[in-house]
Amino acid sequence: MPAESQARSNALEDAAKSFRKLIGVADDPLPFRAKLGLASCSRLKGDLDRSLEMLAALEKTEPRPSDELLDELVAERARALLAMNRGADAVELIVRTRSKRKRLTGELWFLQV
């Protein structure tokens, strides 16, 4: 949907409401994914600073999330940085993540390319 459309705004608000409901009532890893979804909604609404704040808080989650979840977080952070026209920062983030792993998979691999 176009970024300025009312339908997109409504859909993102509905998604955010659903994510909020999952945070306190679901078993792991669903609360982490719900918070990640909220960060995605913020990014898609254009509130990039808020999205990055939410992602920073998620990175400090204890116990430490699985590598798969952390990869999703890094991918979302990279998308936010790209939306802010901070491509060099996105590349640095992906390179740093890659240095900790043998290889990237999924969306991180795609973003690296």
Side-chain angles (χ1 to χ4, degrees), residues 44-96:
L44 291 168
K45 288 178 183 177
D47 193 351
L48 302 172
D49 291 330
R50 176 71 180 137
S51 179
L52 289 175
E53 287 172 14
M54 295 170 81
L55 295 170
L58 270 176
E59 283 180 322
K60 298 172 185 169
T61 300
E62 290 296 330
R64 184 181 178 278
S66 69
D67 285 345
E68 176 187 346
L69 290 174
L70 289 174
D71 284 355
E72 291 177 33
L73 187 145
V74 170
E76 183 58 36
R77 181 183 293 277
R79 285 191 296 269
L81 291 169
L82 289 171
M84 298 172 91
N85 293 319
R86 293 174 49 193
D89 292 335
V91 168
E92 180 183 332
L93 173 65
I94 292 170
V95 167
R96 243 188 355 249

Side-chain angles (χ1 to χ4, degrees), residues 6-73:
Q6 187 62 39
R8 177 183 168 128
S9 180
N10 292 342
L12 287 170
E13 191 53 43
D14 288 345
K17 285 179 187 176
S18 295
F19 287 134
R20 282 187 204 98
K21 289 178 185 177
L22 293 173
I23 290 173
V25 297
D27 293 328
D28 285 335
L30 208 47
F32 186 94
R33 287 186 189 275
K35 291 175 185 176
L36 188 57
L38 283 170
S40 295
C41 286
S42 289
R43 176 182 55 81
L44 291 168
K45 288 178 183 177
D47 193 351
L48 302 172
D49 291 330
R50 176 71 180 137
S51 179
L52 289 175
E53 287 172 14
M54 295 170 81
L55 295 170
L58 270 176
E59 283 180 322
K60 298 172 185 169
T61 300
E62 290 296 330
R64 184 181 178 278
S66 69
D67 285 345
E68 176 187 346
L69 290 174
L70 289 174
D71 284 355
E72 291 177 33
L73 187 145

